Amino acid sequence: QVQLVESGGGLVQPGGSLRLSCAVVGFFSDFYAIGWFRQAPGKEREEISCLDTSDSNTDYVDSVRGRFTISRDNAKSTVYLQMNGLKPEDTGVYYCAVRGRRGDYYYCDYTDMDYWGKGTLVTVSS
């Protein structure tokens, strides 16, 4: 059974940092696309960042590029999202999700991820 377990959310002041973790358990392949998604209050879920574990390519939404970094610890099967320079508009529930290969590629698609975690709340406020 595949499980994704997020942790690391919390309350932080503007300008602060948090590191989110997503432990991936039971996925049938060493390679997959894994993404972080955010759902802000009253808004639709959006993709924040995606990592292709087959070649380590990463992608970020413009609003977080340069502030957030996605990375993976292969030994621990854990993916991280380092968030620096947090802003109030970064507030939301953060989810990780994985997606197996589609054709010859690994990429995120928030409408078609294979497995989701339950989310962790990040609140940026003074």
Side-chain angles (χ1 to χ4, degrees):
Q1 182 177 358
V2 178
Q3 287 186 306
L4 305 179
V5 182
E6 302 106 330
S7 61
L11 173 64
V12 63
Q13 292 187 344
S17 298
L18 282 175
R19 188 178 78 160
L20 305 182
S21 300
C22 174
V24 182
V25 180
F27 198 75
F28 58 86
S29 172
D30 288 338
F31 298 128
Y32 44 81
I34 183 163
W36 285 97
F37 301 79
R38 175 173 69 200
Q39 187 158 20
K43 295 187 177 181
E44 292 189 356
R45 192 174 300 184
E46 63 172 337
E47 179 184 326
I48 298 300
S49 180
C50 186
L51 169 67
D52 174 352
T53 62
S54 70
D55 61 11
S56 299
N57 278 344
T58 59
D59 192 23
Y60 300 91
V61 68
D62 287 346
S63 62
V64 308
R65 188 173 289 114
R67 299 188 296 124
F68 291 10
T69 303
I70 189 170
S71 63
R72 182 187 185 204
D73 183 329
N74 292 338
K76 297 180 180 179
S77 296
T78 299
V79 175
Y80 303 98
L81 185 68
Q82 178 67 43
M83 305 186 294
N84 299 328
L86 282 161
K87 304 176 181 180
E89 52 263 43
D90 294 318
T91 294
V93 179
Y94 284 69
Y95 300 87
C96 64
V98 297
R99 188 170 189 246
R101 188 173 63 183
R102 297 294 193 267
D104 294 332
Y105 303 103
Y106 299 91
Y107 59 97
C108 294
D109 178 346
Y110 86 98
T111 68
D112 188 39
M113 302 303 285
D114 292 327
Y115 300 95
W116 289 87
K118 293 184 178 180
T120 185
L121 177 63
V122 172
T123 304
V124 185
S125 175
S126 55

